[in-house]
Amino acid sequence: MKGIQYIRNGNKKTHAVVPLDIYNYLLKAAEDLEDIALFDEAKRNDDGFHIPHEVVTKTIIEGHNPVKVWREHRGLTVEALAKAAGISKPYLSQIENGKRHGTMRVLKAIAKALDVPLDVLAEAETLKLAA
């Protein structure tokens, strides 16, 4: 390649000095390869469950109750979710309004009815209890 200088130790090339434009090109290429490797790893570990942006915004950024947000996202009424989870409508309403904390058994039933991993609901509940 043009512009590359080599440092030798005897007859063996031990180092190369490259022009800055070549160095910057190689640096960007290495960063791109690292990004591709991270993307490939994320795809390999993808369990298929993804949290929609609106759910993230409402639960994490705006602080709304995750049970209520997921229920609304799934298009369920309080009555329909309560029935699917095997709990009373008032109990579910109290969980959604933060007046009661669901037990792990109840949260597991709600998570199953909402088709979300338990930790999506349980972590939020644990954070509320710790506050």
Side-chain angles (χ1 to χ4, degrees):
M1 291 189 107
K2 194 174 182 179
I4 299 177
Q5 297 176 4
Y6 296 98
I7 299 172
R8 297 175 181 270
N9 185 356
N11 288 332
K12 184 177 178 187
K13 294 179 184 175
T14 58
H15 295 80
V17 180
V18 298
L20 198 54
D21 59 335
I22 294 174
Y23 171 79
N24 287 330
Y25 173 81
L26 293 172
L27 188 61
K28 173 137 179 32
E31 290 171 353
D32 290 347
L33 286 174
E34 187 177 306
D35 290 345
I36 290 167
L38 289 171
F39 177 78
D40 289 343
E41 181 181 350
K43 282 191 77 164
R44 275 192 308 277
N45 296 327
D46 185 3
D47 63 1
F49 179 76
H50 302 276
I51 301 176
H53 181 265
E54 76 174 46
V55 173
V56 171
T57 300
K58 287 181 179 179
T59 58
I60 295 174
I61 298 171
E62 296 175 6
H64 296 281
N65 183 284
V67 173
K68 183 175 183 176
V69 173
W70 276 106
R71 176 182 59 75
E72 291 172 346
H73 178 73
R74 297 287 192 226
L76 297 171
T77 63
V78 173
E79 186 174 351
L81 178 56
K83 184 176 180 180
I87 61 174
S88 71
K89 184 177 165 185
Y91 186 18
L92 177 59
S93 185
Q94 290 172 339
I95 291 171
E96 287 188 354
N97 292 321
K99 293 179 181 169
R100 287 181 78 179
H101 301 286
T103 64
M104 282 308 232
R105 183 189 63 75
V106 168
L107 290 174
K108 187 175 180 180
I110 293 171
K112 183 177 180 184
L114 290 171
D115 192 28
V116 299
L118 175 61
D119 63 335
V120 169
L121 305 180
E123 284 179 12
E125 239 356 75
T126 303
L127 290 174
K128 279 193 267 178
L129 291 172

